[in-house]
Amino acid sequence: MTDVLVFAPAPSLTVTVEAHPSGDEVHVHAGGQGVWQARMLRRLGVSVTMCCTLTGETGTVLRHLLDDEGVEVAAVERAGRGPTYLHDRRSGERVAVAEEQGDPLGRHELDELCSTAIREGIATGLVILSGPDGDDALPPDTYRRLAADLRTAGARVVVDLSGERLAAAVGGGVDVLKVSDEELQDDGLVADASPQAVMAAMRELHARGAETVVVTRASEPLLLLDADGFLEVTPPQLEIVDTRGAGDSLTAGITAGLVRGETVREAVTLGAAAGALNVTRHGLGTGDLETIGRLRELVTVRTLDEPAGLDEPAGRVSPDGLAALATPAPPEEITS
């Protein structure tokens, strides 16, 4: 039995071509949000099972790549096209040669995937629900059902989602929700990224089913809200190579802290350190445990008072955002 289950419904096969002094260099990796989270968890010494679909030839390759990274795979295998991309970076810029989101899950495949997630989630007791590569891979309401069922079965649920998937998961109830202020704006949950607006949205998400809400704010300190109030968490500011994967490393670090028996308020410092190191690297969800541990000592935390006027209308979640949260999207029709 592993420590954590990562629900990653549709991971990607990524192929990148880069220039090398002696000729072209081709890199083949497993990719996608759940993969990056699992990769960082492994760097932090946490054992991981990934619940996913493996589709066609790309799925066969993905299984080998995940095995090589030390990730146990609980997969639904199927024929068809899986999420894949081929990028050419020989010019120094990322040029998409081919990109494929893959085939949506059929009704029976989705049933099998959810059953696998519940079974493995009960075994680990701690689950990250991550999004698929491809907007149409599965209905958003899947996340509401999984969050509710896993918590009913006694598992803790961490989610790193946005849009309809975020709304659905919160409707089912989650232990930890991680989201960025940019995603809150894109989803219409805040009118702007001011601290007052973001904190009001966090209050609303907490009231609607997220026990702890963590919001990242680009180069600004991240914010945490739980039953005891707000925290401001400031990681060390390091030189940025690539910001992609930083949020997923944060989520993985928080989850690793929970595995160690820490509270979320304690675990968020590990997550902040993991995210801080990840931006200094080209590899997404990468880093080493010793460096992350040293960076954790540089993370500062302070309690925030409830800001004046938090309950005023100007600081609240927008009406459209409230409607989206109050009424999770209905299940979409899925072909068998």
Side-chain angles (χ1 to χ4, degrees):
M1 182 181 70
T2 59
D3 298 316
V4 176
L5 174 71
V6 175
F7 177 76
S12 289
L13 178 65
T14 72
V15 182
T16 305
V17 184
E18 296 187 351
H20 188 274
S22 60
D24 294 341
E25 191 170 48
V26 180
H27 301 275
V28 181
H29 297 289
Q33 183 186 34
V35 172
W36 301 328
Q37 291 164 347
R39 184 174 294 144
M40 179 56 76
L41 283 166
R42 294 295 299 127
R43 299 296 194 278
L44 294 170
V46 175
S47 59
V48 182
T49 297
M50 180 175 290
C51 176
C52 61
T53 54
L54 296 177
T55 305
E57 294 179 1
T58 59
T60 300
V61 177
L62 279 170
R63 180 182 286 278
H64 288 292
L65 293 172
L66 291 169
D67 285 344
D68 288 345
E69 295 203 45
V71 176
E72 293 193 19
V73 178
V76 174
E77 298 184 2
R78 61 176 186 152
R81 300 171 304 156
T84 310
Y85 71 67
L86 170 58
H87 287 173
D88 186 343
R89 297 190 61 178
R90 287 174 292 183
S91 66
E93 300 294 328
R94 187 181 297 271
V95 178
V97 178
E99 293 183 333
E100 174 56 53
Q101 291 193 349
D103 298 323
L105 275 67
R107 179 181 291 110
H108 303 302
E109 294 161 346
L110 182 60
D111 285 347
E112 187 62 28
L113 185 67
C114 289
S115 294
T116 301
I118 292 170
R119 182 188 71 236
E120 299 295 331
I122 291 172
T124 64
L126 182 55
V127 181
I128 298 177
L129 298 181
S130 68
D133 270 25
D135 290 337
D136 299 326
L138 73 172
D141 193 61
T142 305
Y143 290 91
R144 179 193 60 80
R145 296 191 292 113
L146 276 177
D149 289 345
L150 286 164
R151 295 186 90 207
T152 295
R156 290 178 292 175
V157 176
V158 178
V159 300
D160 187 349
L161 300 167
S162 61
E164 292 180 306
R165 299 186 191 110
L166 178 151
V170 169
V174 302
D175 293 272
V176 181
L177 165 65
K178 178 265 169 186
V179 65
S180 73
D181 60 352
E182 291 182 354
E183 290 167 333
L184 291 176
Q185 289 187 82
D186 291 343
D187 295 344
L189 299 179
V190 293
D192 57 64
S194 66
Q196 183 178 9
V198 170
M199 292 168 81
M202 294 171 72
R203 274 279 179 221
E204 192 65 43
L205 291 164
H206 177 69
R208 289 180 177 272
E211 289 190 2
T212 300
V213 182
V214 177
V215 177
T216 58
R217 301 187 298 150
S219 60
E220 297 296 317
L222 64 90
L223 300 175
L224 178 148
L225 171 66
D226 60 13
D228 294 324
F230 286 97
L231 289 182
E232 180 185 80
V233 182
T234 305
Q237 298 297 308
L238 306 179
E239 292 294 318
I240 296 174
V241 172
D242 192 341
T243 60
R244 295 179 307 145
D248 298 313
S249 295
L250 167 67
T251 300
I254 293 172
T255 306
L258 296 178
V259 169
R260 299 176 182 182
E262 299 176 5
T263 67
V264 181
R265 287 190 164 214
E266 294 167 335
V268 73
T269 62
L270 179 60
L277 181 60
N278 188 81
V279 302
T280 70
R281 303 169 61 88
H282 291 288
L284 279 61
T286 63
D288 67 278
L289 181 58
E290 182 178 357
T291 305
I292 291 170
R294 291 184 181 276
L295 289 175
R296 187 181 193 182
E297 298 173 0
L298 304 178
V299 176
T300 62
V301 178
R302 71 184 183 100
T303 302
L304 294 181
D305 294 329
E306 200 86 1
L310 185 62
D311 294 327
E312 294 298 318
R316 295 191 63 79
V317 180
S318 70
D320 289 343
L322 282 170
L325 286 172
T327 309
E332 300 173 5
E333 185 66 24
I334 305 177
T335 58
S336 59

